[in-house]
Amino acid sequence: SYSSYSYHSWEIPEEVSGTNDFWVEVDLSKQMLYAYNSNQIISSFLVSTGTKNHATVTGTYKIYAKLPTYTMVGPGYNLPDVPYSMFLDAISAP
């Protein structure tokens, strides 16, 4: 299921990834993630996205990796054990 997904996008079977029935939307202004199956919201979650100095990118992306926890390190920050960290890869919009 999407809540326990921890594989790379290239490991998703074509019969799943080719349908595009499951997708997520992140509302940066509300700090919410909405999970959809086709056009129906199946769940929603509070999320923590980037900051003013390290903004979250916008656009259409594939999630290429999701980890149970990940230490986020960069200029001026060190955040250990950030839960459910997802990493994105740009794709062309449909």
Side-chain angles (χ1 to χ4, degrees):
S1 83
Y2 65 90
S3 62
S4 62
Y5 174 73
S6 62
Y7 301 95
H8 301 288
S9 62
W10 55 86
E11 296 171 333
I12 301 172
E14 181 61 33
E15 59 269 17
V16 174
S17 63
T19 65
N20 292 322
D21 285 341
F22 176 76
W23 57 284
V24 297
E25 174 184 25
V26 177
D27 185 326
L28 296 176
S29 64
K30 294 181 182 177
Q31 294 290 286
M32 290 293 295
L33 180 145
Y34 301 97
Y36 291 85
N37 188 358
S38 282
N39 293 331
Q40 181 178 357
I41 293 177
I42 56 175
S43 198
S44 61
F45 309 90
L46 283 171
V47 294
S48 179
T49 61
T51 66
K52 181 179 177 182
N53 293 333
H54 306 314
T56 297
V57 295
T58 60
T60 302
Y61 298 89
K62 281 189 174 185
I63 297 171
Y64 71 84
K66 178 182 166 195
L67 303 172
T69 61
Y70 188 79
T71 298
M72 302 280 184
V73 178
Y77 67 93
N78 183 336
L79 304 169
D81 301 324
V82 176
Y84 308 111
S85 299
M86 290 184 251
F87 298 89
L88 311 173
D89 186 25
I91 61 171
S92 58

